[in-house]
Amino acid sequence: MNILLWNTTDFWVPTYVFNDDSYLSWGNIPYFLSVILAMFTCSWLSFYMTIVILEVRKFHGNATYLLACIYACWFENFIGSLVILPYKYGIVHLAAPGRIIEGFENTEDYLILDEITWKSVPILVASFLEWHYLGLINSGFACLLLERTLATLLFSDYESASRKKLSICLVIFHQTSSLLMAFSMIFHIFPLKNLLLMNVFGLVFLVPYLFLLRYYNIRARNNMRLAKNITKNTLAAKFQTEENVRSIHLAFRIFLMIIFFNVTCLVIIFLAIFKVPGERYYFQAAEHIIFFGPIYLVPAVVSTERDWRKRFFYYVPVNKLRIRPENPESEFQVPTVAAQTTAIHFEQLENLWV
């Protein structure tokens, strides 16, 4: 819904239904209980997924930061949603009691406010938190793709050389772009359809670029493994190329999961935009999918890497009961850094020296 402040400023609140107290009935208790359970589940999943990514580092430090930030920022969305829920279900009335506001960009159904009051400040702040959360996720994956591109271009010493300025620039770019996205959405600079088309365009660009990046790294690795190229590249460059191939395979699997999630949301939202019967429920379904995203995104991403999966199972409460006190991590012990896949280069060097 939209808030028109001072008759000039359009604030976009990320909820389709607003001030709808029809949900406040005994029959909806199972619904609210399931929402509370899903909130705690998402909190647990996001928290431990962040820990697993930081403990078992399968990427360079830059990519590890980006991936961990994507999951950690869900708590920002959690806080924002908790603040919006009382307004959404008419517990706190910003509009007149009984007036139900539905939809996006419906100028006839804007909530008009002449001033900022103590009741309106929380929902404006919460809206920014939710939009910033979406900005962090979108810019995070864009920066992750950029980081893998830089690793490909700087294959000679990306892992071995310290590039603090590069890391700082990635962090600044990630945070700045997320803030720009958040402000552009909360102030409703772009219509919803335009934002969706931008998202579709991003997917159209992303898929072939992933295949191109994967192909380039595999080709570079295969060329370096040829006997005639043994002395043409440094050992550090060969190690980095092997690492790039391993990382791009993992990133490729992660992006496939994200693309599936993104496409699902887009399909549901487009069904609502094109007025397919049940428009109201499609929009609310999209809200729930985005809000409870960790329920899908954590298992999906964990499944892409064996060591992540093994370490994540260590934190599952059921497995905690099975762990022997004398050897608490034996079944779930994993290396904290990526395994080296560079033995072939040592063999080539040995053969060359002989």
Side-chain angles (χ1 to χ4, degrees):
M1 57 83 66
N2 298 77
I3 296 176
L4 189 62
L5 186 61
W6 304 309
N7 208 31
T8 55
T9 307
D10 185 353
F11 283 97
W12 192 0
V13 180
T15 177
Y16 182 77
V17 177
F18 190 79
N19 208 44
D20 187 0
D21 57 3
S22 63
Y23 285 86
L24 303 179
S25 63
W26 292 107
N28 284 319
I29 288 180
Y31 166 74
F32 285 109
L33 289 177
S34 63
V35 168
I36 293 172
L37 178 62
M39 284 182 178
F40 280 107
T41 303
C42 288
S43 299
W44 186 90
L45 289 171
S46 299
F47 178 76
Y48 282 108
M49 186 62 189
T50 305
I51 291 178
V52 168
I53 290 171
L54 294 175
E55 282 185 345
V56 186
R57 302 196 173 196
K58 292 297 179 179
F59 289 110
H60 184 271
N62 295 330
T64 299
Y65 153 77
L66 292 169
L67 199 57
C69 186
I70 287 170
Y71 285 99
C73 71
W74 184 84
F75 291 97
E76 185 176 356
N77 176 48
F78 177 70
I79 295 171
S81 296
L82 281 181
V83 174
I84 289 177
L85 284 178
Y87 294 89
K88 179 176 182 176
Y89 296 120
I91 299 173
V92 177
H93 294 287
L94 196 58
R99 180 193 173 189
I100 299 175
I101 302 174
E102 288 188 1
F104 299 114
E105 303 173 339
N106 182 7
T107 55
E108 297 179 357
D109 207 17
Y110 272 29
L111 175 61
I112 300 175
L113 298 178
D114 296 326
E115 59 180 354
I116 296 178
T117 63
W118 66 271
K119 278 189 176 182
S120 60
V121 169
I123 195 169
L124 296 177
V125 174
S127 298
F128 174 78
L129 290 177
E130 287 210 21
W131 291 129
H132 187 235
Y133 158 73
L134 291 178
L136 282 171
I137 289 181
N138 283 281
S139 62
F141 283 112
C143 289
L144 185 60
L145 193 63
L146 174 62
E147 190 272 343
R148 286 295 88 200
T149 304
L150 292 173
T152 301
L153 296 175
L154 303 173
F155 69 94
S156 60
D157 59 353
Y158 183 71
E159 294 281 350
S160 57
S162 176
R163 291 185 172 89
K164 292 184 178 180
K165 291 183 179 179
L166 178 61
S167 301
I168 293 172
C169 287
L170 272 175
V171 173
I172 292 174
F173 179 72
H174 178 216
Q175 296 297 328
T176 303
S177 57
S178 65
L179 286 172
L180 289 175
M181 289 183 191
F183 281 117
S184 66
M185 288 187 282
I186 194 171
F187 289 112
H188 203 185
I189 295 175
F190 301 105
L192 177 60
K193 287 184 179 179
N194 289 5
L195 289 173
L196 295 176
L197 290 175
M198 291 179 194
N199 197 304
V200 171
F201 176 78
L203 289 177
V204 171
F205 167 79
L206 173 63
V207 174
Y209 187 75
L210 276 174
F211 278 101
L212 176 64
L213 204 59
R214 183 170 174 265
Y215 168 77
Y216 182 88
N217 279 281
I218 292 175
R219 184 181 178 185
R221 190 271 309 274
N222 292 340
N223 285 335
M224 287 188 181
R225 284 185 171 184
L226 295 176
K228 63 180 181 180
N229 295 329
I230 293 177
T231 59
K232 291 183 179 179
N233 299 99
T234 65
L235 196 58
K238 294 177 181 180
F239 286 173
Q240 183 59 51
T241 305
E242 294 285 350
E243 177 63 17
N244 284 348
V245 172
R246 185 198 62 78
S247 297
I248 199 63
H249 279 304
L250 178 56
F252 190 82
R253 295 194 296 269
I254 291 174
F255 274 105
L256 285 180
M257 298 298 178
I258 302 304
I259 289 170
F260 176 79
F261 180 80
N262 202 334
V263 169
T264 302
C265 291
L266 285 174
V267 169
I268 293 174
I269 294 174
F270 275 119
L271 287 174
I273 289 177
F274 291 122
K275 305 295 183 181
V276 175
E279 170 191 359
R280 173 179 182 177
Y281 301 105
Y282 286 127
F283 270 121
Q284 293 194 71
E287 284 182 33
H288 283 73
I289 290 174
I290 294 172
F291 177 68
F292 299 124
I295 292 178
Y296 163 77
L297 291 175
V298 171
V301 173
V302 162
S303 66
T304 61
E305 171 55 45
R306 180 179 60 85
D307 288 343
W308 279 348
R309 186 167 60 250
K310 193 174 181 181
R311 189 60 181 173
F312 188 81
F313 285 154
Y314 169 73
Y315 293 109
V316 175
V318 175
N319 289 329
K320 287 282 188 180
L321 300 175
R322 297 174 49 245
I323 297 175
R324 295 180 179 180
E326 63 273 12
N327 199 3
E329 297 187 16
S330 59
E331 297 181 46
F332 306 98
Q333 190 67 40
V334 295
T336 56
V337 294
Q340 295 289 346
T341 56
T342 54
I344 186 172
H345 299 305
F346 284 113
E347 294 175 6
Q348 288 179 334
L349 284 174
E350 288 177 359
N351 294 333
L352 182 64
W353 289 333
V354 172

